[in-house]
Amino acid sequence: MQIFLARNNIQAGPYNLEQLNIMLASGEVVLDDLMWHEGLEQWQRVGTLTNNQTVYTPAPVNGAEVNDSIINNVTIFPEDNASGKQTDKPVSLDRLYGKPERKDTANNTKVDMTTNRHHTPHHNVSLNKSTLKKAVADNDKVVGNVVLAPIMSRVLATAINGLLYLLAIFPLVMALTKMDVDYSKFQNIQDMDAAYQYSMTLMESLPSSTLMMSQIMVFGLFALQLVFIALRGQSLGKLITGIRVVDQTTHRLPSFSKLIGMRTLLLFIIYNLLFSFTSFLGFVVVAIHYYMASKSPENIGWHDKLAKTLVVKADSSQLVKKSKSE
């Protein structure tokens, strides 16, 4: 059996079963790495296949030709010699996985298990059977088996959600522009009750058909957003930009309470109060969130800290429920 491993979009191998188990026992291969061999339909997390044990006992597989499209996607590193030609010196997992190579790896049999690797040189790979189906750019951040969503993609998703909300209230806005609205009523922060009463008076002055249309569009949008968030971990903005909210620990769809309770309804209430108080304060808090995310190694802003979630590039494997054996 030829076994291939992958980490951070770098593929290594092939190894045999004995070599894999030695590397698992030594910690050179970790449970969050990806693994593929003949008989598996796609790349899978090592821990998923070993039931989170440090030994792998594969189920019997009928003999078949190894998929060449998988074998050929192996990154080969030139050896350090004057001619630049390949030698028989083994390459360590440290090197294949992009880590600083330790001085003792040349003599450590538990580390240097790559002497039977494929010797055809190729460029850096994009794993065509990996659970990381999105192309990983050089500046992308990878955590375990997920690719973190770029900050600008998250900002764009928020902007799209805001635009959709503006479109939903467009009939209401158009009706208000035709009225003589005294905006000074909303500028006195200390007299919010008067502002509320004035807004109610304005609403009563609007045609009932306009109010009904606006309510249907706003509640329809809100219901649609909730459905996509609950089922896919994506608001409409995130769906369009190809990103998703996942649990920080499992890297899969978070629980309903995290998605709907903490990340949706609670945030909706917080921002509704902020923007009602003053729009400037609401935008400042949004900016603080994305500033925190840009400075965090895992792009975690205060929204993510609150709900213990990550925002990542969307992949269908994130929607698969975690089995009890994992």
Side-chain angles (χ1 to χ4, degrees), residues 209-246:
S209 59
T210 301
L211 278 175
M212 183 175 295
M213 182 182 297
S214 295
Q215 288 172 352
I216 291 173
M217 293 179 67
V218 170
F219 284 111
L221 174 63
F222 190 66
L224 193 61
Q225 292 277 36
L226 285 179
V227 168
F228 274 94
I229 291 171
L231 297 181
R232 301 183 58 86
Q234 296 171 297
S235 63
L236 293 177
K238 286 183 172 62
L239 181 66
I240 293 171
T241 53
I243 61 179
R244 169 179 288 121
V245 175
V246 298

Side-chain angles (χ1 to χ4, degrees), residues 74-282:
V74 179
T75 300
I76 301 299
F77 292 84
E79 302 301 329
D80 298 326
N81 55 38
S83 64
K85 296 181 180 179
Q86 297 284 347
T87 70
D88 292 332
K89 178 184 175 182
V91 178
S92 70
L93 272 177
D94 285 340
R95 211 167 163 191
L96 280 172
Y97 282 174
K99 300 188 297 184
E101 191 166 15
R102 292 167 290 183
K103 294 181 180 180
D104 61 346
T105 53
N107 299 320
N108 190 335
T109 58
K110 288 187 177 181
V111 175
D112 292 325
M113 304 302 296
T114 60
T115 54
N116 65 336
R117 60 192 169 91
H118 196 275
H119 283 276
T120 304
H122 291 278
H123 298 291
N124 261 354
V125 302
S126 176
L127 302 180
N128 57 354
K129 275 185 174 282
S130 171
T131 54
L132 299 178
K133 294 179 182 176
K134 298 286 184 182
V136 180
D138 292 338
N139 58 346
D140 277 340
K141 297 180 182 178
V142 180
V143 177
N145 60 344
V146 295
V147 180
L148 298 179
I151 299 299
M152 289 310 299
S153 294
R154 297 174 61 174
V155 173
L156 179 59
T158 300
I160 291 173
N161 286 330
L163 179 61
L164 290 173
Y165 176 74
L166 290 177
L167 290 176
I169 64 172
F170 184 74
L172 182 62
V173 173
M174 291 301 296
L176 288 173
T177 57
K178 297 176 181 179
M179 300 175 62
D180 186 16
V181 180
D182 184 5
Y183 291 101
S184 64
K185 296 283 188 179
F186 301 102
Q187 294 176 356
N188 188 359
I189 298 175
Q190 296 179 350
D191 195 359
M192 296 300 294
D193 185 60
Y196 175 77
Q197 293 298 330
Y198 182 66
S199 64
M200 290 296 99
T201 302
L202 289 176
M203 293 298 104
E204 291 172 358
S205 303
L206 292 172
S208 58
S209 59
T210 301
L211 278 175
M212 183 175 295
M213 182 182 297
S214 295
Q215 288 172 352
I216 291 173
M217 293 179 67
V218 170
F219 284 111
L221 174 63
F222 190 66
L224 193 61
Q225 292 277 36
L226 285 179
V227 168
F228 274 94
I229 291 171
L231 297 181
R232 301 183 58 86
Q234 296 171 297
S235 63
L236 293 177
K238 286 183 172 62
L239 181 66
I240 293 171
T241 53
I243 61 179
R244 169 179 288 121
V245 175
V246 298
D247 188 273
Q248 284 184 12
T249 303
T250 65
H251 293 170
R252 295 181 184 175
L253 203 63
S255 65
F256 184 85
S257 60
K258 283 186 179 181
L259 273 177
I260 302 301
M262 299 295 290
R263 254 200 99 95
T264 304
L265 297 181
L266 182 58
L267 288 179
F268 176 79
I269 293 171
I270 290 173
Y271 280 109
N272 193 46
L273 291 174
L274 289 172
F275 279 99
S276 297
F277 185 71
T278 168
S279 297
F280 175 76
L281 183 58

